[in-house]
Structures are given as C-alpha cells and as structure tokens.
Amino acid sequence: MLPLVYHPGYSPPFPVKHRFVMRKFELLMRWVSENGYVGQNNVFTPTSAKYEDLIQVHHKDYLGALAAGPRFNPDWKAVGLPWSRALIDRTFISPNGTYLATKLAMQYGVACHLAGGTHHAFADRASGFCMLNDLAFAAVKLVNEGKKVLIIDLDVHQGDGTAAILASVPEAVVCSVHCVDNFPFEKQHSDYDIELPAGDGDEHYLAVLETVLANVLFDVDPDVVIYDAGVDVYQGDRLGKLNLSLAGIMKRDCMVLEACQALQIPVSTVIGGGYDHDHFALAARHGIIVQAAHSIFVK
Ligand SMILES: [Zn+2]
C-alpha cells in the first residue's frame, strides 16, 4: 500500500493569477485519484498541529502573530501570499501532515504527503511563501521520540529556514542540493550543502546526486528520511534555474526512493516548490513522486 496524506482544506480560495499556485494541492489530489493511486483506505487526513509541538520549532510571539492575522504587518509581506483565515488554517495543518506521512512511512516503508516542503520558514519569521516549517516540525517531533532523521531537500532553492532551525538539533540532519544562483540569496549552513550552477541538466545533476546519496545515507545512517521532492528543478519552471527534464525528475525521485529502500530506511515525501502558469501540468509534475513511490514500493 502507498499511504497518501491529504487534507481537503489544502487549497483554500486564492487569486488564480498569483505566482504561488494554491490550487496545486487540490489538482494533485485529483491527478493522483485519476491515475489510480487512491484506493479504499490509503488516504490519511492530518489534523491541525498542536501548539505544544509548534512551540518546539517556532517562537511563541511569531505563532501568536500568525494566528492573529494580517495585523502582524510588516512581516506579512515576507510571506508573499494574501492573508485569509482559510490560508492560516491550512498552514497549521500541513506540518502535522508531514509528521503523519513520516509516521506512516515508518509503518509501510513509504508515504507521500501531497503538500509540505515549506522550507524557507524560520523559527521567528516567514519567507518565500512559507510560514511554518513542516520539515523541521516533523524532524523535531521524531527526534523527541528518539529517532535520527535525515532531510533530503532537492527543491531547487536552499531550505534556509530548515537549516537554521535544525542547526542546534544534531539528531536531525539536513542535506540540501540546490541551485547556487537562486533564492535565498543569503544561504544558511545545512549539514550538507551541494550547490549546482544555473542551467545544470539531467546528466550532471543525477551523477552528483548518486554520489551525494551514497555518502550521506552511509554517513548519517538515519532511522527515517524525509524527502522534499520539489519540482522547481524542472526546465520550464518559472522560479527555478536548473534544467531537469520530466524524465530527469522521475529518475531523481526513483534514485532517492531506491537508495532508501535498499537500506531499509523508511522514507516520507513532501511535494515542495513548483511554479507554472499551467496548473494542471504542474499538478502532474508533482504527481511524479507518487508515481515513483508506487512503482518502487507497490508495483
Ligand atoms: Zn523551491
């Protein structure tokens, strides 16, 4: 079985022409369903994250300001998204979705969260469409349960918020492979940072990744992996600067999942970034990770 984690509130009403495609979660769920990945009992619905867990990774005043609404300007500008209560509600659910997917992965080998990857959120501030850091949230919760966690972040942008939050958590290790010439322009230090030049394509990217995966999985020897499968590495992405093809993204995702499977390390996935005027094509692109997980773990 391939567990999927999704909440019907993930795509709240939102300006259609905005650079951030809020519809993509709902469209991805539709794509996943239409392509036969939804069965009788493999979709799991997360609840809102608890304050007592959120406070482990985010500052109290910041959480209060987020919950209070748009009055916490000027910080709202850093989010880059128009405020709505429904947006805040889904923001507080998604971190628990990544945690739930990771718990399911520990049970079933793999699980896909059809959202998540808000890796620019810092402990005390929003950045780049990200308010709460689901990766750090899930990792810290698992570390508190005695697990060693490896985050493999292959979104085209560096997960600066994740790196900063987890810098003081040695049992949560962050490996980021990203484009050096892209947002965020002030990079943080992850445990492993692999910087690729703009324009890098399938061949070099996949060769680098193969080496990185072998080294990092061996060095860290984690109990569980959380994989950010951002598709903004795609050659046609509006905000990415790498040059991966769709086949290249499929190979990338399979490489990560197969490496985890070979070492019997449970792996959960989040969808991360992806930007396109064609919302349906974008949803299908985010579907690649589900397709890859199904082909490797379910067949
Ligand atoms: Zn990104």
Side-chain angles (χ1 to χ4, degrees):
M1 173 168 104
L2 173 59
L4 304 171
V5 175
Y6 177 73
H7 192 285
Y10 274 167
S11 291
F14 197 80
V16 177
K17 290 196 171 159
H18 197 282
R19 218 156 42 137
F20 188 86
V21 183
M22 193 58 77
R23 284 174 82 199
K24 72 181 187 177
F25 309 100
E26 190 180 359
L27 294 177
L28 171 60
M29 184 59 193
R30 197 192 297 179
W31 184 94
V32 162
S33 175
E34 285 171 0
N35 284 276
Y37 299 113
V38 173
Q40 294 278 322
N41 53 8
N42 69 325
V43 179
F44 298 81
T45 310
T47 55
S48 194
K50 288 192 187 131
Y51 182 78
E52 67 201 58
D53 291 329
L54 288 164
I55 204 78
Q56 303 284 323
V57 283
H58 287 287
H59 291 187
K60 189 169 120 237
D61 291 348
Y62 175 59
L63 289 170
L66 264 186
R71 284 176 294 128
F72 89 98
N73 274 333
D75 294 301
W76 192 255
K77 262 185 128 177
V79 181
L81 304 172
W83 184 88
S84 74
R85 177 48 62 191
L87 175 66
I88 294 299
D89 289 346
R90 66 92 61 217
T91 296
F92 279 83
I93 294 167
S94 184
N96 236 5
T98 297
Y99 171 71
L100 174 60
T102 312
K103 292 296 276 187
L104 287 163
M106 291 164 76
Q107 197 176 344
Y108 295 98
V110 70
C112 299
H113 185 199
L114 305 184
T118 45
H119 60 174
H120 299 306
F122 284 79
D124 60 349
R125 65 184 168 92
S127 175
F129 308 139
C130 303
M131 286 173 270
L132 297 177
N133 196 309
D134 62 307
L135 298 164
F137 174 89
V140 166
K141 233 170 121 54
L142 289 154
V143 166
N144 289 341
E145 293 170 14
K147 303 296 177 200
K148 186 169 195 185
V149 185
L150 170 63
I151 294 171
I152 299 177
D153 187 341
L154 302 188
D155 186 286
V156 78
H157 305 101
Q158 192 208 31
D160 51 347
T162 318
I165 293 172
L166 295 179
S168 57
V169 185
E171 294 300 301
V173 179
V174 182
C175 171
S176 176
V177 179
H178 51 266
C179 176
V180 67
D181 306 310
N182 214 331
F183 179 89
F185 297 104
E186 189 186 325
K187 306 279 192 286
Q188 300 291 318
H189 292 289
S190 313
D191 298 279
Y192 299 83
D193 281 305
I194 295 88
E195 304 200 306
L196 296 170
D200 207 18
D202 290 354
E203 203 176 329
H204 180 249
Y205 182 98
L206 293 170
V208 168
L209 179 62
E210 190 170 18
T211 309
V212 168
L213 282 173
N215 290 342
V216 172
L217 286 168
F218 181 80
D219 284 355
V220 179
D221 190 21
D223 295 310
V224 64
V225 165
I226 305 176
Y227 171 39
D228 183 336
V231 294
D232 42 16
V233 290
Y234 178 57
Q235 58 201 16
D237 190 272
R238 292 182 69 202
L239 302 184
K241 289 182 178 173
L242 292 185
N243 201 20
L244 265 67
S245 68
L246 293 178
I249 293 174
M250 174 58 95
K251 277 190 193 148
R252 174 196 73 163
D253 290 354
C254 287
M255 271 172 78
V256 174
L257 298 177
E258 280 167 354
C260 292
Q261 190 195 42
L263 295 168
Q264 296 188 314
I265 301 167
V267 54
S268 65
T269 73
V270 300
I271 70 169
Y275 306 90
D276 199 315
H277 287 304
D278 184 336
H279 298 177
F280 293 91
L282 177 61
R285 212 170 295 145
H286 279 304
I288 293 173
I289 184 61
V290 176
Q291 203 181 343
H294 191 270
S295 72
I296 290 164
F297 287 86
V298 184
K299 306 212 164 61

